[in-house]
Amino acid sequence: MAEILYLPWLSYAMEQPAQPQSLFLVFYILLLGSMLWAIRKPKRIRAWAYLFNGPSIVHCEYQKSRGQPFEIYAPDVRMVFVSSREHIKELDNAPDAVLSLNGAAKHMLQPVYTMNGFNWFDRRGVEGVGFVRTLRTLLTNNIPQLLPDLGVLTRTCWAELLSKQETIDGTTLAPVYPMMMNLVVLLNGRSLFGEELIKSESFTASALGYVEETLLNAEIVKLFPKPFAPFVGGLLGYFLNSHKTFFESLIPMTEQRVKERDDRNLGRTAPERADCIQWIMETAPKQNPWSAERVIYELMAIWFGSVHILTTTIVYVIHDLCLHPEYIEPLRYELDTSYQEFERTGQGLPLLDSFIKESARLTPVESMSVRRCALQPFSLSDGTKVGVGEWACAPSGAINTSAEYYHSPEEFSGFRFVDPTILSRAQGASVPAARQSKSSRLTDVEHSFLVWGTGRMACPGRYYASAFMKLVIA
């Protein structure tokens, strides 16, 4: 996460109204002062360099490490990177009370200041992880029911967004990222919240703002000394308050669902629902049912995790389609012959699946994965130590371009993961020189492709994310 520059923050600040603009300039000056104070020590100089050039630093250290653990300092945390199968498995096997995914997420997102004041990650350990079953089982099982409606929404919304763009000499000039962000917000809103809320422009605006402001707020708060965090986070949360609007927009519908749940428990008739609000309520603790507010906090966490990564990954795929137009004909042929089956089952489209995976391999949203925050001192089998509050993680971006795992690793080969027998039947496609010896799917979790994490903590929503991306790109 700490891989963005200061200049985009300043640019963002200048687009805000006068009062928030002044606030951001104050923060900007304070951060520069913090940098000047911190760089008196060589180790701190390297830590601040990570903020500006994190992916390259990780890749360089990975190359030098030869499979052994290595450390990198960011301005806010020391990180121990591991890349061997054995060490990654050690991270996965460590008890949650020792190495915590939630602890790393809490540090990354600063939920006290970005999730309407609720420390979601602390409460999850106490109240269970019903959201995992919501995403892994209930949402996944309902993908075939969601796809037809999402397909109609995609075509309608994309045509509307294009119609608003400037056209010069018959060519439409389309800013892909903001358009795709709007589209993903609309479609994800339909999947998670149903049809009613997405009709409200104020809701969709706050849902979009919540994602963007969470990233910005959390990055700024993390870079200040801990004693300043409540002051800085509080001010940012006051002026950048889409999270409050988003929360309040969800209250009426969620309170209605709570009432329907109580009616069912009393034997009364209540409507049947099929969306994430309902599924979270069904998987919440039975002995102490969650309130409407508690359900909303869970939704806010799921919402953030789904919108940002989906949008960015799809945009990179669109860029790669433009850079490699030779793939368009075989992909369109696959869609012409197989899309209806995909929409009916949520499965299939192996050529498009491979193209998305190859794009994500070479342009991952983040350069690290398998993040764990040490809640207790932890040692790897080789003696490498991770102190309390420090991170253990894997250099997924560097692994993605390692010759140890990929033939011609720097080359874009859109069909490298497809079974050759499938390619031989695909119109306009040929078996590429740069391909894997074993075919695989986008949703597969493996040591050489850590986009989804690993082991028992692998992303439970990856099947939905895969189907979602295929639908939009198709």
Side-chain angles (χ1 to χ4, degrees), residues 143-159 183 187 190-191 339 342-343 467-468 470-472 474:
I143 288 172
Q145 286 71 47
L146 290 169
L147 289 181
D149 285 348
L150 294 182
V152 172
L153 270 177
T154 300
R155 291 185 286 273
T156 303
C157 180
W158 192 250
L183 180 62
L187 299 180
R190 168 63 183 83
S191 298
Y339 182 81
F342 159 73
E343 193 174 79
F468 185 102
K470 289 178 186 178
L471 179 141
V472 172

Side-chain angles (χ1 to χ4, degrees), residues 379-398:
S379 295
L380 291 163
S381 57
D382 71 338
T384 302
K385 298 185 183 302
V386 184
V388 173
E390 298 176 344
W391 284 17
C393 47
S396 54

Side-chain angles (χ1 to χ4, degrees), residues 284-414:
K286 302 299 182 185
Q287 294 182 344
N288 185 24
W290 286 345
S291 65
E293 289 78 9
R294 181 65 186 86
V295 172
I296 293 171
Y297 287 125
E298 202 80 7
L299 287 166
M300 291 177 75
I302 293 174
W303 179 256
F304 174 82
S306 59
V307 170
H308 169 62
I309 291 178
L310 279 176
T311 300
T312 309
T313 303
I314 293 171
V315 169
Y316 286 148
V317 173
I318 292 174
H319 288 173
D320 283 324
L321 283 169
C322 295
L323 292 169
H324 306 281
E326 66 272 16
Y327 288 95
I328 290 177
E329 181 185 344
L331 288 172
R332 282 183 172 163
Y333 178 78
E334 178 181 65
L335 294 172
D336 286 341
T337 57
S338 306
Y339 182 81
Q340 289 184 344
E341 180 67 10
F342 159 73
E343 193 174 79
R344 188 181 67 82
T345 64
Q347 304 291 324
L349 303 181
L351 301 189
L352 182 56
D353 186 278
S354 176
F355 191 94
I356 297 171
K357 185 170 184 175
E358 178 71 344
S359 179
R361 180 183 75 85
L362 286 173
T363 49
V365 176
E366 297 179 301
S367 61
M368 70 177 73
S369 184
V370 198
R371 293 180 180 85
R372 304 289 188 268
C373 178
L375 304 183
Q376 299 179 30
F378 177 78
S379 295
L380 291 163
S381 57
D382 71 338
T384 302
K385 298 185 183 302
V386 184
V388 173
E390 298 176 344
W391 284 17
C393 47
S396 54
I399 291 173
N400 285 354
T401 54
S402 170
E404 182 179 355
Y405 306 111
Y406 296 96
H407 177 62
S408 301
E410 302 290 346
E411 177 185 340
F412 185 94
S413 180

Side-chain angles (χ1 to χ4, degrees), residues 30-288:
L30 287 174
L31 282 171
L32 290 178
S34 299
M35 286 179 64
L36 292 173
W37 179 83
I39 62 176
R40 294 180 300 171
K41 299 179 180 179
K43 186 178 289 187
R44 301 307 299 168
I45 294 176
R46 292 194 296 272
W48 283 94
Y50 175 81
L51 186 69
F52 293 90
N53 199 27
S56 296
I57 291 173
V58 173
H59 193 274
C60 180
E61 293 299 319
Y62 170 77
Q63 295 290 344
K64 293 190 295 185
S65 71
R66 299 182 180 276
Q68 298 304 307
F70 59 92
E71 68 175 14
I72 291 179
Y73 282 85
D76 54 321
V77 69
R78 173 182 178 258
M79 299 174 290
V80 174
F81 284 84
V82 300
S83 57
S84 71
R85 295 178 189 273
E86 294 74 17
H87 287 150
I88 290 175
K89 190 173 182 179
E90 288 178 36
L91 301 191
D92 187 47
N93 290 338
D96 295 340
V98 178
L99 291 184
S100 172
L101 173 62
N102 291 338
K106 176 183 175 182
H107 179 82
M108 285 169 55
L109 300 180
Q110 299 291 318
V112 170
Y113 313 113
T114 60
M115 290 186 174
N116 204 43
F118 184 83
N119 204 341
W120 182 82
F121 299 97
D122 285 347
R123 297 296 294 274
R124 274 185 56 200
V126 177
E127 298 180 323
V129 288
F131 91 105
V132 174
R133 182 170 180 264
T134 296
L135 297 178
R136 180 177 293 156
T137 304
L138 300 176
L139 179 58
T140 299
N141 290 345
N142 278 272
I143 288 172
Q145 286 71 47
L146 290 169
L147 289 181
D149 285 348
L150 294 182
V152 172
L153 270 177
T154 300
R155 291 185 286 273
T156 303
C157 180
W158 192 250
E160 182 180 345
L161 288 169
L162 282 175
S163 70
K164 296 177 181 178
Q165 308 308 316
E166 182 182 7
T167 300
I168 299 178
D169 297 330
T171 299
T172 301
L173 307 180
V176 177
Y177 183 82
M179 289 174 62
M180 190 56 64
M181 178 68 86
N182 278 280
L183 180 62
V184 170
V185 164
L186 179 69
L187 299 180
N188 234 25
R190 168 63 183 83
S191 298
L192 270 61
F193 311 127
E195 296 182 10
E196 299 172 37
L197 275 176
I198 62 173
K199 297 175 183 177
S200 167
E201 291 186 7
S202 63
F203 171 75
T204 53
S206 68
L208 173 59
Y210 163 64
V211 174
E212 295 175 333
E213 291 175 8
T214 294
L215 287 168
L216 184 68
N217 291 7
E219 286 295 330
I220 293 176
V221 170
K222 287 191 305 180
L223 296 178
F224 280 92
K226 288 184 178 179
F228 295 158
F231 170 73
V232 174
L235 277 179
L236 284 169
Y238 177 78
F239 287 105
L240 298 178
N241 55 12
S242 289
H243 61 107
K244 295 180 181 178
T245 306
F246 184 55
F247 178 90
E248 292 166 359
S249 298
L250 289 167
I251 286 177
M253 175 177 286
T254 310
E255 287 181 338
Q256 176 63 30
R257 298 296 184 86
V258 170
K259 181 179 181 301
E260 292 173 3
R261 177 195 64 194
D262 295 341
D263 286 343
R264 278 191 291 270
N265 291 339
L266 294 171
R268 300 170 184 162
T269 302
E272 294 295 327
R273 310 283 190 178
D275 54 38
C276 277
I277 299 177
Q278 193 65 36
W279 298 328
I280 287 173
M281 292 175 64
E282 291 174 2
T283 56
K286 302 299 182 185
Q287 294 182 344
N288 185 24

